[in-house]
Amino acid sequence: MEPYFFLSYARRRGPRVLVKRFYDDLCAELRQELRRLHKGNTVPFDRPFFDVQSIQVGQDWNAALGEALGRCRTMLALYTPEYFRSDFCGREWKAFEDRQRRHRSVTGVDAKALIPVLWEPVQNIPAGAAHIQYDNFDFGENYARWGLRRILAADPGGEEYRRIVHLVAHQVLVAAEHFRILPVSGLDLTAPEAAGPFPSAAERAEPGSHALLFLAARTSAEAHNGATDPGCHGDSPTDWNPYHADGSDPLAARASRLLEERGFAVRTEIVSDAMSASLDEARGRGQVAVLLVEALAAGDEPFGRALRAYDRSNHPGSAAIVPCAPEEAGDGPRSKAYWEAVRGALPFNWAKGVGDPLPLLQSGVSSDQFDGALHAVVVKVQNHLVSFLGTLRTSLLEMSQSLPPPLPVLSPAPPQSDRPRPGPPPTPARPFFEPIPIEEQEQDR
């Protein structure tokens, strides 16, 4: 199968109503265009790829994305400010653009199969995407000023929206039918070398950035009850090394080194009942946090109690990684115990990650996947934290503007005299405020 297009967009929390509407409308328009092209004859139409519809529950999302990106005929990139802050969107971009370059080097033809759609206005296009022309005079001034999302929200069945969808469908049709860029197989979007241009996984953090690592892991005595230690545990949870067959560094040391290479100052703590307070403090300071959890330790107290409290709470700027040893990745009894432990400790995060190409609960992470997974989730939680703090500041500002004006300070009563007392001062006119315009609400969050 060769999906007619791959829809690449920044995943937001909540329902994606408008993105889904655009996807459905574009599919319908493409079917009509194909019928016109083939004079009414029925033609095969490989269903375009939209993650929340095309990846089934229980399916390996990385394999599904890699397969679709390696075989799709075109890729539509929905431009938003979040798109160009998304590490994973950058990975999708790079994977498809690499295919275009390979096609150009083999055939000498520039397929122009990466099609930008201005979903929301973007102030600064990063250098890695600046060579793609996205301004289109035919789409009109409203499209250039407001983006397609606002046009759709204002009038879903309107002439302007339908005309733009028709023009996008024509671009897809030309690239898909006339170029058919060469497919590739085996794409792994989580690999470190798959990092795209916005931002690169090697991009350094802002000066003064801090990251917090939380460890939930057993010691050798707790894990083996006096039996021979196979090498993954030590005297402290910070000695835990689930990847001991591949290297001697404990996981906390490996994660700290990776984050320090990115420019973070790193502090490591053991998961305890005080973790929620530490996370709240880190969030207030704009610090990201990553939990490194041994699955079979998640039921031990106080780890289990602290993790369940974390799971019930919303902590913007945090993510959890649950490494997986080779014997826990197969079909044996250790694999079953591993997945039951993960679901039991973090059920809400487990359910929330279904259908998300980059969930904030990363489970089943092997040694060769760990570095890429850590970089990817740190970028994602940074973006979540920036968005959360910005929304919080805006809400506080709006609240302060809506408060009534302070009461006037009354001066002490003057000493009485024989003069006639003046009448009461005139009541000041009630201040008049211009109505504050309400910004358009996010309908697809």
Side-chain angles (χ1 to χ4, degrees):
M1 298 292 286
E2 297 179 356
Y4 226 71
F5 65 80
F6 180 104
L7 189 62
S8 177
Y9 67 101
R11 285 89 182 161
R12 291 170 169 171
R13 296 180 181 182
R16 303 167 175 91
V17 176
L18 296 183
V19 175
K20 173 68 165 55
R21 172 64 186 266
F22 170 65
Y23 169 84
D24 289 339
D25 291 343
L26 184 58
C27 289
E29 186 67 26
L30 276 169
R31 289 191 185 91
Q32 292 186 20
E33 287 290 303
L34 280 168
R35 281 196 291 269
R36 283 193 287 266
L37 180 66
H38 294 276
K39 297 182 171 50
N41 296 323
T42 302
V43 294
F45 179 67
D46 291 349
R47 183 73 173 168
F49 186 91
F50 180 35
D51 57 357
V52 295
Q53 289 195 173
S54 304
I55 300 179
Q56 305 302 314
V57 174
Q59 188 176 5
D60 184 329
W61 65 265
N62 184 43
L65 284 175
E67 175 72 12
L69 272 169
R71 303 192 65 82
C72 61
R73 301 191 193 186
T74 65
M75 186 180 93
L76 260 66
L78 297 192
Y79 279 21
T80 63
E82 291 84 1
Y83 187 85
F84 294 109
R85 290 196 295 263
S86 168
D87 175 78
F88 215 89
C89 290
R91 291 168 183 264
E92 293 172 351
W93 178 287
K94 180 181 185 298
F96 192 83
E97 194 163 46
D98 285 349
R99 281 185 62 197
Q100 285 204 134
R101 290 195 189 97
R102 178 170 173 264
H103 183 85
R104 187 164 52 243
S105 66
V106 172
T107 66
V109 175
D110 186 2
K112 295 184 175 62
L114 199 165
I115 301 170
V117 174
L118 187 64
W119 192 242
E120 294 176 359
V122 178
Q123 295 297 325
N124 298 303
I125 303 294
H131 62 286
I132 301 290
Q133 176 66 28
Y134 72 92
D135 288 329
N136 194 320
F137 179 78
D138 293 337
F139 285 16
E141 293 183 5
N142 287 335
Y143 174 83
R145 183 179 182 185
W146 304 113
L148 184 58
R149 180 189 175 281
R150 187 159 177 174
I151 294 172
L152 167 57
D155 190 2
E159 180 180 349
E160 184 176 23
Y161 169 70
R162 288 186 286 108
R163 179 177 58 81
I164 293 173
V165 171
H166 173 77
L167 292 172
V168 173
H170 181 72
Q171 287 181 281
V172 172
L173 186 69
V174 170
E177 290 292 315
H178 295 287
F179 296 112
R180 303 290 286 272
I181 64 173
L182 302 173
V184 298
S185 59
L187 289 178
D188 180 6
L189 298 185
T190 63
E193 62 273 14
F198 43 93
S200 166
E203 183 183 15
R204 293 183 61 79
E206 292 291 330
S209 296
H210 288 73
L212 206 55
L213 284 178
F214 288 95
L215 263 293
R218 297 171 294 177
T219 64
S220 179
E222 294 166 341
H224 305 289
N225 296 320
T228 302
D229 184 357
C232 58
H233 297 96
D235 295 333
S236 165
T238 56
D239 296 325
W240 174 50
N241 180 14
Y243 308 133
H244 62 279
D246 299 322
S248 58
D249 282 348
L251 189 65
R254 177 176 174 178
S256 295
R257 184 179 67 253
L258 291 169
L259 292 173
E260 286 167 356
E261 289 172 357
R262 292 276 304 274
F264 288 97
V266 183
R267 187 172 90 249
T268 301
E269 296 185 9
I270 308 302
V271 168
S272 69
D273 292 329
M275 182 173 67
S276 290
S278 296
L279 284 169
D280 289 340
E281 181 181 356
R283 179 184 62 196
R285 295 180 175 181
Q287 300 172 357
V288 299
V290 178
L291 283 64
L292 303 176
V293 181
E294 180 188 7
L296 297 182
D300 298 344
E301 303 302 348
F303 296 148
R305 186 167 57 246
L307 290 172
R308 289 190 294 273
Y310 168 80
D311 189 57
R312 291 191 299 268
S313 304
N314 177 26
H315 285 282
S318 69
I321 298 177
V322 189
C324 184
E327 60 271 21
E328 294 170 330
D331 298 325
R334 288 202 61 184
S335 174
K336 181 179 180 181
Y338 169 87
W339 292 109
E340 287 179 349
V342 176
R343 286 193 294 266
L346 300 164
F348 294 113
N349 277 275
W350 175 278
K352 189 165 56 177
V354 173
D356 189 336
L358 184 60
L360 291 177
L361 170 59
Q362 290 276 306
S363 49
V365 178
S366 61
S367 178
D368 59 345
Q369 295 172 331
F370 179 80
D371 293 9
L374 179 65
H375 283 310
V377 297
V378 165
V379 170
K380 184 168 183 176
V381 297
Q382 278 183 295
N383 292 336
H384 277 194
L385 190 57
V386 169
S387 176
F388 171 80
L389 294 176
T391 301
L392 182 62
R393 283 192 294 269
T394 301
S395 299
L396 292 174
L397 178 62
E398 291 176 349
M399 286 177 60
S400 67
Q401 292 176 341
S402 65
L403 292 175
L407 294 173
V409 178
L410 299 177
S411 59
Q416 292 187 1
S417 67
D418 295 336
R419 288 180 170 183
R421 295 181 180 178
T427 302
R430 193 184 191 97
F432 174 74
F433 296 99
E434 292 292 334
I436 300 174
I438 300 176
E439 295 292 340
E440 176 194 9
Q441 299 296 314
E442 287 291 344
Q443 297 186 32
D444 56 345
R445 279 188 181 268

